[in-house]
Amino acid sequence: MSVIPLVIVAVFVWVPALCTVILSFSNWDGIGGLSDIHFIGLQNYIDMFTIYPPFWPALWHNVVWLLVLFFIFTPLGMFLAVLLDKELKLTKFYQTSLYLPVVLSAALIGFIWQLMYSRDQGFINAVFGTQIDWYGDPNINLYAAIIANGWRHVGYIMLLYLAGLKGVDPALKEAAALDGASPTRTFFQIIFPVLRPVNILLLVITFIEGLRAFDIVWIINKGRNGLELISTLVTSNVVGEASRIGFGSALATIMLIMSSIFIVIQLRIMLKGEN
């Protein structure tokens, strides 16, 4: 029973990842057979760090994306989960409303927020009487895209954390109440530590979400004019007009390394906790 999942993971995850790493040391353009692949060592990585202007802005944009998700939208999702765990009136309605963006496609989310951000007919400009080009101004379009992505991210975090809260033993809350602990103190000193596995999971999900951000940015303007991300650079080089498979693979390898760091950290923390 373990062979079939192992084969599936190997074929669809590890083999493509290994091929990506190997191709990152070549200048292959995707035309011709494997015999046309010429290996050039670390030249793609040297060019990436030295003479490829979009790389450093894209890396910084990914960091900004990650920080905003981590410090704003993830805590917001956790806070909403805590509120909904109190069984307020219309709790089911709120749960459904907050989770609805998660089940929507990225294309539809981009369209919805286009209606919000449109310079001439957008809801935000209509309410405030402004003429801001939210998606066209390179000084603010990154943050506009992050908010659109955060709208979806909050619902996902809320659902996961709410599931964790439902699994907490009610006796812990009752004991804390008998000892005179306030709800805030009960949460941070008792509930939050108990949810350590969920907290680690949400931390890793947030980091990976920040690194692999792609859909909404690509829908807006294909990752240009202030919306450059590592993932959009990979796509532009691999399937763009240049068809630089080797260089795009080098960019993808950088993403793979960055994502693997957080996965390894998660595994070490979880294994340490079990021990």
Side-chain angles (χ1 to χ4, degrees), residues 67-78:
L67 292 177
V68 174
L69 288 184
F70 182 74
F71 287 106
I72 296 179
F73 291 106
T74 295
L76 179 59
M78 296 168 65

Side-chain angles (χ1 to χ4, degrees), residues 75-196:
L76 179 59
M78 296 168 65
F79 175 71
L80 292 174
V82 172
L83 292 181
L84 294 176
D85 187 53
K86 297 181 181 298
E87 299 294 339
L88 304 174
K89 291 183 178 180
L90 302 177
T91 295
K92 298 298 182 182
F93 170 76
Y94 293 134
Q95 290 180 12
T96 303
S97 301
L98 292 171
Y99 187 70
L100 182 60
V102 181
V103 301
L104 299 179
S105 66
L108 184 55
I109 289 178
F111 174 74
I112 291 173
W113 281 90
Q114 178 63 43
L115 298 177
M116 300 283 288
Y117 285 138
S118 176
R119 182 180 60 182
D120 299 323
Q121 300 177 343
F123 176 77
I124 296 177
N125 285 334
V127 170
F128 294 99
T130 56
Q131 289 289 323
I132 300 176
D133 190 0
W134 296 96
Y135 278 162
D137 188 344
N139 295 317
I140 61 175
N141 57 5
L142 176 66
Y143 302 100
I146 292 175
I147 291 174
N149 179 256
W151 181 56
R152 184 180 190 181
H153 182 75
V154 164
Y156 187 43
I157 297 298
M158 179 271 299
L159 181 69
L160 292 178
Y161 209 72
L162 184 60
L165 290 171
K166 295 298 183 183
V168 175
D169 188 353
L172 295 175
K173 301 178 182 179
E174 296 173 359
L178 291 175
D179 290 338
S182 65
T184 302
R185 186 175 182 182
T186 300
F187 174 77
F188 284 106
Q189 294 190 1
I190 298 177
I191 306 301
F192 191 78
V194 170
L195 293 175
R196 182 174 180 272

Side-chain angles (χ1 to χ4, degrees), residues 34-53:
L34 297 179
S35 59
D36 295 325
I37 299 177
H38 301 287
F39 291 95
I40 56 176
L42 297 174
Q43 191 60 47
N44 283 329
Y45 294 94
I46 295 174
D47 293 344
M48 182 195 315
F49 291 120
T50 58
I51 62 173
Y52 188 55

